[in-house]
Amino acid sequence: MEPHVANVGIATIQEPVRGELDQAFDRLQSIATADFPLIDDVNAHLQRRKGKMFRPTLLLLSARSAGTLTEREIVLSAIVELIHLATLIHDDSVDHSVLRRGQPSVNAQFSHEIAVIMGDYLYSRAIHELVLLDAREPLRIMSRVTNELTVGEMREVVAHDFLDFSEDDYEQLIQAKTASLMSGACEIGALVSGDTYREPLKRFGRYLGMAFQITDDLLDYTESEAVTGKPAAQDLREHKITLPLIAALPNMTAAERAQVEALMAHPDPSDDLIATVIHAVDQRGGIAAAREAARAFALRAEVELACLAPSPAKDALLAGIAYAIARRH
Ligand code: FPP
Ligand code: MG
């Protein structure tokens, strides 16, 4: 069964909170500003490419569909995006990735040292802002989430044995590194309803995040750099084991497994070897299985929204599910 909403672009999903989202972006810029030239050079570099603002969109739509959206939620959504940005800066440094959002990553444009410090700077600015807001529950949620993010990143760093990395391990990893923040964004938005919608929206964000990350991992197999704004097949190049490979492995021939083994053993696998493994993963059903897994999480996300009263914001959250699994970048 397909989630029953049509495929739409991010701009349509953002429609019910367009004005608030623009304010959140302005707010994000002013929170990030520092009285220090190098930090502002990095800020200027980062702000050249805005990003999809998907997490603040989730927070604002959750708030609007659960109750009344106020100035406080706008600031909270800016904080969530800042934390996301900080994690991406660190992640690109950890991954040695040179491209993000179609432009050089901070580690590539500046240095790894600057990427580490800038990630810390933005993260600490975000936390400071939460304290200034006196936002106790959001602070509780975000401190748990950021802790989970770091453990997720650590899980990924050590996950290199492709024969010993199960689908369960993978789910635990993407829960920690992606679903946790989306879930936290939705939960913070839902706080406008007290506890009424808190748990269902928290779960919605989690399932949506799982579907979103599985799709992200699929795009690494299926799309070019020109489409995603990130290097193609970067995961395999870095020996990252994601669902398409995990699902295909049991169906592979001994020769195909040997090619996977060769790729994983090579510090800098050739484009040919990568293309061969991608082909085998597709042939052995890995791409189809990952698509199916994303769809299954999307359906679970949809079920969680049933408790909300009809509204344009709820429709946009539903459309967000379709976006998470149908996007190409
Ligand atoms: C991207 O994964 C990684 C994350 C979203 C999590 C990164 C988390 C940290 C670096 C630790 C927490 C840091 C702070 C500041 C609290 P990916 O490499 O699969 O995605 P990509 O393809 O977009 O690079
Ligand atoms: Mg990365």
Side-chain angles (χ1 to χ4, degrees), residues 55 83-92 94-95 97 99-100 119-120 123 145-147 149-154 156 176-178 181 213 216-217 220 230 234-235 238 240 242:
R55 290 149 191 84
I83 291 177
H84 174 56
L85 198 54
T87 69
L88 292 184
I89 294 168
H90 278 181
D91 178 65
D92 283 336
V94 170
D95 287 352
S97 191
L99 203 65
R100 170 71 65 183
D120 287 344
Y123 174 58
V145 164
T146 48
N147 186 250
L149 283 166
T150 52
V151 176
E153 191 79 346
M154 203 60 107
E156 184 148 282
K177 81 166 188 181
T178 305
L181 185 52
Q213 186 59 45
D216 203 69
D217 294 337
D220 201 78
K230 296 187 283 196
Q234 178 80 356
D235 291 345
E238 286 166 5
K240 270 193 198 166
T242 60

